[in-house]
């Protein structure tokens, strides 16, 4: 649970950094911030799923948490797609970072889909493994979001902030 809370907090800080430094209407950085915010929201639901999909949780709450995570990751993927278009003039490093972010979100979507299947039967030990895989994918999304922000803004301030 502490890892999930840290992931959620890091995602929120990236989003705050974006909104604190970006002028209104700057689509590229805002898209990346919205992507990272949605990943942070997925982390919040993952925190709940860790309990609700466990032995003390309920199947209905587990399914609801997984559905919420899927929704947030879908939102993140949509914003990442927008960023790819809006950031097209930001250079090769930005393009590579956004490609990596998109690939990470694709993996996270696959992992949460697998989590939904594994956790459909309450108490399945594979559910715990799927939750860990999903959590790691979400954590990678936060890091990739911060990297994309730095590469697309042309500075390393967000990378330094999150990789200390």
């Amino acid at each position: 649970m502490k890892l999930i809370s840290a992931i959620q907090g890091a995602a929120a800080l990236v989003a705050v950094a974006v909104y604190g430094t970006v002028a209104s209407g700057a689509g590229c950085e805002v898209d990346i911030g919205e992507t990272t915010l949605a990943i942070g929201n997925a982390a919040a639901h993952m925190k709940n799923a860790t309990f609700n999909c466990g032995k003390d949780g309920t199947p209905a709450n587990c399914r609801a948490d997984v559905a919420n995570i899927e929704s947030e990751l879908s939102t993140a993927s949509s914003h990442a797609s927008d960023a790819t278009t809006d950031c097209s003039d930001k250079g090769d490093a930005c393009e590579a970072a956004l490609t990596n972010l998109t690939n990470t979100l694709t993996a996270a979507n696959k992992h949460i889909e697998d989590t939904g299947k594994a956790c459909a039967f309450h108490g399945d030990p594979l559910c715990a493994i799927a939750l860990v895989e999903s959590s790691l994918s979400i954590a990678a999304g936060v890091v990739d979001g911060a990297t994309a922000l730095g590469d697309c803004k042309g500075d390393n301030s967000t990378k330094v902030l999150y990789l200390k």
Side-chain angles (χ1 to χ4, degrees):
M1 291 265 230
K2 289 182 182 181
L3 172 64
I4 302 301
S5 294
I7 294 167
Q8 179 185 2
L13 287 174
V14 170
V16 168
V18 169
Y19 292 113
T21 61
V22 175
S24 178
C28 175
E29 290 93 354
V30 171
D31 290 336
I32 297 168
E34 292 285 351
T35 301
T36 308
L37 184 61
I39 295 168
N41 290 338
H45 293 296
M46 181 60 71
K47 181 179 174 183
N48 295 336
T50 303
F51 175 80
N52 288 326
C53 296
K55 67 178 182 167
D56 295 327
T58 65
N61 288 342
C62 176
R63 283 190 299 275
D65 291 332
V66 170
N68 287 331
I69 296 164
E70 289 173 335
S71 176
E72 292 295 346
L73 290 176
S74 176
T75 298
S77 295
S78 177
H79 286 297
S81 178
D82 292 345
T84 301
T85 301
D86 292 342
C87 300
S88 62
D89 62 343
K90 300 290 184 179
D92 292 341
C94 177
E95 181 181 343
L98 288 172
T99 297
N100 195 43
L101 176 59
T102 300
N103 291 341
T104 298
L105 286 169
T106 299
N109 279 302
K110 171 74 171 100
H111 286 138
I112 198 60
E113 181 181 312
D114 292 345
T115 298
K117 291 175 186 173
C119 296
F121 303 102
H122 199 64
D124 188 333
L126 293 178
C127 177
I129 294 169
L131 285 166
V132 169
E133 288 176 336
S134 294
S135 296
L136 293 174
S137 292
I138 289 171
V142 172
V143 172
D144 290 347
T147 300
L149 180 61
D151 287 347
C152 295
K153 284 180 67 175
D155 67 40
N156 291 326
S157 61
T158 54
K159 287 190 226 180
V160 172
L161 177 65
Y162 294 103
L163 299 179
K164 281 185 179 178

